[in-house]
Amino acid sequence: SSSKVYSVLQIMQNAFDRGHTNIRADLQCYRDALITMSRRQNVEDVGNLADETLKEMKDQMIFPDTQCYRSAILAWKHVAMSRDCLYPEHAIRRTQELLQEMTEAYHRTTQILIQPTTEDYNHVLHAMNLSKNPQTLPYAQDLFKTLKDEASSTGGPDAQSYRYLLGILKNIRS
């Protein structure tokens, strides 16, 4: 489970902090943990665990890559889609914030360690299909425009992108 993956990272960090080992979690460990967390569906705390993992990475001066951000976005999308989710709008907003953070990191560096793609935009648009917030449509349209405008780096919208945008439009108008 996600909490077990997170606890392994905690055990590794505690052992390092106490001097029991000089092995510490690296980018690959954190990436694998986030990927594992993102595969869990209907687990409400998975989004928070993904956020904690990203925070710990940054605290350790380990910068998340594309797969780390993608996995965190996917984890929050699963939270939003969970039938037990009490605050889907919060989960949807977290997918948006993570994509924004990912995009800012991409534009901040000359090395391509982070690059949002159509897949990442689609995860966010998919989560946004669940939103009842009237501001969802303008935000989705801006996201879609960015996806189109930056097609050379993102890959541009695909058929699924259009379906998600139409789904958001339908949900907001009904």
Side-chain angles (χ1 to χ4, degrees):
S1 83
S2 301
S3 57
K4 287 180 184 173
V5 170
Y6 184 73
S7 68
V8 168
L9 290 173
Q10 294 298 301
I11 290 167
M12 288 177 73
Q13 186 60 44
N14 288 338
F16 179 82
D17 290 345
R18 293 185 177 140
H20 298 302
T21 183
N22 41 347
I23 299 172
R24 129 186 280 177
D26 61 2
L27 176 61
Q28 187 63 51
C29 290
Y30 284 112
R31 183 187 303 128
D32 290 344
L34 286 162
I35 289 169
T36 301
M37 289 176 195
S38 73
R39 292 181 179 156
R40 300 292 300 166
Q41 297 182 23
N42 294 319
V43 178
E44 191 158 339
D45 69 339
V46 73
N48 291 323
L49 290 173
D51 280 353
E52 277 298 312
T53 303
L54 288 173
K55 181 185 177 308
E56 283 183 24
M57 289 178 73
K58 293 170 190 169
D59 289 347
Q60 301 293 328
M61 300 301 289
I62 299 172
F63 301 102
D65 63 6
T66 298
Q67 195 59 53
C68 294
Y69 277 112
R70 180 172 295 143
S71 297
I73 290 168
L74 188 55
W76 276 108
K77 179 180 97 166
H78 289 317
V79 171
M81 297 178 82
S82 170
R83 61 185 166 273
D84 300 328
C85 182
L86 299 175
Y87 306 104
E89 293 294 337
H90 171 72
I92 293 164
R93 191 170 40 261
R94 282 302 296 141
T95 66
Q96 296 166 347
E97 292 165 353
L98 287 163
L99 180 62
Q100 180 63 38
E101 190 177 319
M102 185 182 195
T103 302
E104 288 170 4
Y106 169 71
H107 289 291
R108 203 174 30 239
T109 182
T110 55
Q111 299 175 338
I112 300 181
L113 299 174
I114 302 170
Q115 186 168 9
T117 65
T118 303
E119 179 181 358
D120 305 304
Y121 281 84
N122 282 351
H123 286 316
V124 174
L125 290 167
H126 190 193
M128 290 173 71
N129 264 269
L130 304 168
S131 181
K132 303 294 182 219
N133 184 336
Q135 292 304 309
T136 297
L137 182 58
Y139 187 87
Q141 289 170 321
D142 287 345
L143 214 62
F144 196 82
K145 182 179 181 323
T146 302
L147 182 58
K148 284 173 55 177
D149 291 348
E150 297 187 13
S152 63
S153 63
T154 63
D158 61 9
Q160 197 63 53
S161 309
Y162 283 94
R163 276 190 220 96
Y164 290 145
L165 184 61
L166 288 170
I168 293 166
L169 183 63
K170 183 183 101 182
N171 289 342
I172 297 300
R173 296 223 169 134
S174 56

